[in-house]
Amino acid sequence: MNEAMLRPKPSSISLSRVVLKEQTTVIGSSRSVDVHIDQKFISRRHAQVRCLNDVFYISDLGSTNGTFLNGSRIEDNQEVVLKDGDEIVFARDEIAFMFSDPNQTVRLTGPPEIGSEHNMRAEARININVASKEVRIDGKKSEAFSRKEFDILLRLYRNSGNVTSREEIAEAGWPERPSGDVSSEEIDQYISRLRRRLEKDPRRPTHIVTRRGFGYQFTN
């Protein structure tokens, strides 16, 4: 994988360069994210950089003050390809980085369906298109999900194979509230709704599995 990195622009923040080695790097003011920025204009989970097949994408995770690429604001949950020398600004003019990629990632010109991170396997039951907010189950377009349902499902889906904590689910579904203010009953209600939409047998879930004491694990 490329050793791409984010380089803080002079005087913008007292943070050393960020080497992007993981598949997904989440940036925000929460202590639980990969890159912690202690700044009041930064949302708890503000943005993320994702690497797929050595191509890097940036997306805004529904932040309050926005993520800007070369002066243009990125729409919520829209993935945009990063190129060597791109300027990334969080919260308008508050925090600025330059994206540096020694191999100058330019092979793709637009965001793929997020399902492509699973190589769009024929056996994958569930695929999500971030740009169109479309969910396909067994190849068929599902009826529209509510905004909260979609945001929670997207967080689980992007973390496929790993456990997503209740705090992360709360931050995805209720970004306007501190995660500690979201009750277990509210989270359980939406997990149940998603299971009824996605599972062949919601009583014996295989896609959204409870990992007691940790959270939920999405598998496809």
Side-chain angles (χ1 to χ4, degrees):
M1 184 183 295
N2 301 340
E3 188 170 277
M5 63 185 66
L6 300 178
R7 298 180 183 274
K9 294 189 73 176
S11 302
S12 70
I13 187 172
S14 58
L15 183 73
S16 61
R17 66 183 185 177
V18 178
V19 178
L20 301 169
K21 292 184 177 180
E22 301 296 330
Q23 183 179 17
T24 301
T25 301
V26 178
I27 302 162
S29 61
S30 171
R31 293 282 181 182
S32 65
V33 301
D34 304 301
V35 180
H36 168 66
I37 300 177
D38 187 13
Q39 215 270 7
K40 65 180 181 179
F41 295 104
I42 301 296
S43 298
R44 289 174 59 80
R45 294 176 63 88
H46 195 103
Q48 77 171 18
V49 177
R50 184 171 73 101
C51 182
L52 174 64
N53 299 326
D54 289 337
V55 179
F56 289 86
Y57 304 86
I58 187 167
S59 58
D60 184 273
L61 299 178
S63 70
T64 300
N65 294 308
T67 301
F68 298 79
L69 180 63
N70 299 324
S72 297
R73 183 165 184 165
I74 301 172
E75 295 183 13
D76 292 358
N77 296 313
Q78 175 190 6
E79 290 195 309
V80 182
V81 175
L82 285 171
K83 301 182 295 295
D84 186 57
D86 278 349
E87 181 185 62
I88 301 166
V89 176
F90 302 118
R92 298 192 181 277
D93 296 326
E94 295 298 326
I95 308 296
F97 289 89
M98 296 298 293
F99 175 71
S100 174
D101 182 357
N103 292 311
Q104 298 195 21
T105 301
V106 294
R107 283 179 287 163
L108 297 184
T109 57
E113 288 194 350
I114 192 167
S116 65
E117 66 187 80
H118 299 288
N119 298 319
M120 297 297 286
R121 299 191 307 269
E123 69 271 20
R125 291 195 64 238
I126 302 163
N127 287 298
I128 298 176
N129 186 304
V130 177
S132 66
K133 305 295 188 291
E134 180 180 291
V135 178
R136 287 186 174 271
I137 304 172
D138 292 329
K140 297 180 181 179
K141 183 178 178 180
S142 172
E143 292 183 9
F145 284 66
S146 71
R147 174 64 182 268
K148 201 177 297 295
E149 289 172 341
F150 183 86
D151 288 347
I152 293 171
L153 176 59
L154 184 61
R155 177 62 55 82
L156 291 164
Y157 193 94
R158 277 183 159 149
N159 202 29
S160 293
N162 300 314
V163 174
T164 302
S165 68
R166 284 177 171 269
E167 180 186 42
E168 292 174 308
I169 292 171
E171 289 174 345
W174 294 264
E176 73 284 359
R177 292 163 56 184
S179 59
D181 287 352
V182 181
S183 69
S184 295
E185 289 75 15
E186 290 175 288
I187 294 173
D188 291 342
Q189 180 183 34
Y190 275 88
I191 293 296
S192 294
R193 288 183 185 182
L194 291 175
R195 283 173 170 164
R196 289 196 294 270
R197 300 286 300 273
L198 303 175
E199 303 283 357
K200 291 183 177 180
D201 184 355
R203 295 170 299 177
R204 297 180 178 83
T206 59
H207 295 295
I208 303 176
V209 180
T210 301
R211 299 301 183 199
R212 296 195 181 281
F214 297 98
Y216 296 93
Q217 182 179 21
F218 183 92
T219 58
N220 207 351

